[in-house]
Amino acid sequence: MTTTTTATGTDEVVLEASRVTLRFGGLTSLSEVSLRMRRGEVLAVIGPNGAGKTSLFNSLTGFYHPQEGRVTLRDESGATHELIGRKPHSVNRLGVARTFQNIRLFGALTALENVKVAAETRERSGPLGIALGLPHTRRADRASGERAEQLLEFVGLAARRYERAGSLSYGDQRRLEIARALATGPRVLLLDEPAAGTNPTEKLELTALIRRINRELGVGVLLIEHDMRLVMSVADRVAVLNFGRVIAEGTPAEIQRDPAVVEAYLGAEAAQPDPEEVER
Amino acid sequence: MSAVIEQRTERPAKAVSAVVVAGLRRERWYRQPRLRRLGALLAAGLLLAVMTGEQGNGKDLLYSLRGTLASGRLWVCLGLGVVAWVLAETGAPLRAAAVRLLAPVTAPIARGGELAVRRRGVRVTAALVGLALAVFVPLALSRATNQVLVDWVGIYILLALGLNVVIGWAGLLDLGFVAFFAIGGYSAAFWTGHLPVKPPFELNPFLVIPVAMATCLIAGVLLGGPTLRLRGDYLAIVTLGFHEIIYLVAKNSDGLTNGSLGVFGIPHFSVGLGPVQYRWKLDPLDYWWLLLGLIVLAVLVLRRLEHSKVGRTWAAIREDEVAAAAHGVDTVKYKLMAFAIGASTSGAAGVVYASKVGFINPENFPLLYSVLVLAYVIFGGMGSIPGVLLGAGLLAWLPHALKDVVDQKDRFMYMGALLVVMMIYRPQGLLPARRRRRGEPTPARSSVQTGDAQ
Ligand SMILES: Nc1ncnc2c1ncn2[C@@H]1O[C@H](COP(=O)(O)OP(=O)(O)OP(=O)(O)O)[C@@H](O)[C@H]1O
Ligand SMILES: [Mg+2]
């Protein structure tokens, strides 16, 4: 595991979205969203259900194609790449990795294989070399296997490496998704509600893990999370999304005091019918 | 249904509704599991009576059934059903005793099986023993039997190995697989100079194999390129169309393929390298060994692929295409690769077939064969090479094994029944693959284009 610190340091802007607008027919799920994230920071995106957080992730990773705006990624050499219009796999190859809100592991593969598949997308070996058993394909295979083992160790799943991903506990599956995303060697990691469905102990471990990903691996983290305690303890900056717009941005302390944010959350809560009301 | 009724009955007086609900909840007498089992066994008895009875009559559809109902055999068969039921219902203590008695025998076998799966040495030994049997046993068999071994078993095992890459590993439903078999066959005809269109130079069938494989590879890429973006079920229809196109071209373009007359005189394989001179002739044994060689080669190559980056990536795409793409997998490229590898295996089988039989026509490549190969793969265990070898071997052999046992016309009906029973009780196949979830024979669930990445 190497800690890469480039000459530009951790303050460089790695990912920038400017005035991104995404529409589905008449529904505007993102309107003029602008975000800047630096390599050395954990940026959290919060907002009520349906605010457009996942849509933002999908727009950043090539799954959705926003009608307007730009998303640029700065690579190691300092060159910038436009991400909108690229296919998901090519966005990932530029250095953006993600996890999914509804866990999407390769259920029938083992934990190790899940991570290895992701690590191997960077190997050059092709079917012919493999069929002939060329030495460089064997080396590549061993290298990605070792890398996968290290990453499982890093997220604390080394003991579960030969278990089928589909049979792991919820918390372990979330961590495996993170290890798999890290295996592609990203500059930016997008985590979509990594704490959803995990217990308090696992939440604490996750907080520590996110910090280590940011500090030790030097990977910028963009985090969607509903658990405010986790967000406030791990995020350097927070952006608040409501109805597809960024309504506030700042440090966790600033965000907690922001009247617009309080309003958005209270408004969302007031709009939601009281569950007991429905029963009666 | 009953939930709706229950809700509605909640409104009137509580006492009445409680009675009604209780009534609805109570099982109908004929729904009792015991009686249902009796019913099933009686039905099986009736089926047995019909099956062992007189052959049906095409003009009078109920002829066989009527004959059965009038015969005494019916009562014997129904009686057997009842006896089986009584044994099943009351035999639990008996069965337990039998299991206990047999435990010393069965337990080591089960444990041995488990060991075999785990230990590499055991697996290799089993493979070598199987290979030795495959090489030497046909020496003791009749010529007619060997004919079947080549024309059906050998060819279909090769086809099934190819299709397994496409459906078992990459999870792509390809219903037009035999089109590539046809392309292989016609390649053999073309490159040996037996089509109306002549090749620039003629080739020995051995050399046609790589050429035909390359042709099928290209055909696979040409077909797959624009269509592999489609989701499983749409892809199946496209491949169906592809088969139809190839079939109709072979049948109708007289100037190219000689139309429905077919092609005659495709030469046998031969080797002529200095001192090594050999000609394959009509003897099926020669061809059996040739096929065996090709099968071994295919298995060695495919096994390597399965346990490599390529095999893992196919499995990832099959499991979750969206997640695979999000981790840098060029899904279209890998699907194309699977398609092309499957197609070229099929093409090689086509060359051997054409050269062995010596004449081909479009009717050698009906859609049914694609479906058969698919059935063999699923029967053996999608994604598992030993499973596919066993499944294709057994099923391709079955109709001929039944030839002397049941009526000629009924042979494929028994195979159909076997498939139905198999899919109900063991959908994962004879020797299921480790990398597949139990009983989930579905092709790729979603595509990057349509699935939203939540
Ligand atoms: N593929 C799609 N087609 C149509 N509408 C979509 C699509 N994806 C998202 N939307 C809409 O965009 C809006 C934002 O959805 P999104 O999933 O981004 O919300 P979210 O902030 O992630 O919510 P949650 O906290 O529930 O995950 C919603 O109104 C949703 O219905
Ligand atoms: Mg979401």
Side-chain angles (χ1 to χ4, degrees), chain B residues 40-128:
Chain B
L41 281 169
L42 286 178
L46 177 62
L47 186 67
L48 183 68
V50 174
M51 270 168 45
T52 52
E54 243 173 299
Q55 188 63 20
N57 182 334
K59 298 218 180 62
D60 182 0
L61 291 180
L62 294 179
Y63 173 80
S64 168
L65 185 64
R66 238 182 296 118
T68 303
L69 290 181
S71 73
R73 209 180 52 254
L74 174 66
W75 299 108
V76 176
C77 291
L78 291 183
L80 279 178
V82 174
V83 169
W85 178 70
V86 170
L87 281 181
E89 296 302 322
T90 62
L94 262 177
R95 272 200 306 277
V99 166
R100 230 175 303 122
L101 265 178
L102 288 179
V105 184
T106 53
I109 293 177
R111 226 177 307 128
E114 229 156 72
L115 270 185
V117 178
R118 258 189 240 134
R119 276 220 206 115
R120 195 186 147 81
V122 178
R123 280 201 312 255
V124 172
T125 317
L128 287 179

Side-chain angles (χ1 to χ4, degrees), chain B residues 198-261:
Chain B
K198 296 298 171 202
F201 44 85
E202 292 190 10
L203 291 175
N204 178 297
F206 267 116
L207 295 178
V208 178
I209 290 185
V211 174
M213 286 175 75
T215 311
C216 286
L217 206 97
I218 293 167
V221 170
L222 284 183
L223 167 67
T227 57
L228 282 175
R229 287 150 222 275
L230 297 174
R231 241 186 37 219
D233 12 12
Y234 301 107
L235 179 68
I237 303 302
V238 168
T239 54
L240 215 62
F242 177 67
H243 176 271
E244 209 57 10
I245 291 170
I246 297 289
Y247 174 75
L248 287 177
V249 166
K251 190 164 172 154
N252 294 325
S253 83
D254 295 347
L256 189 67
T257 62
N258 220 13
S260 47
L261 285 179

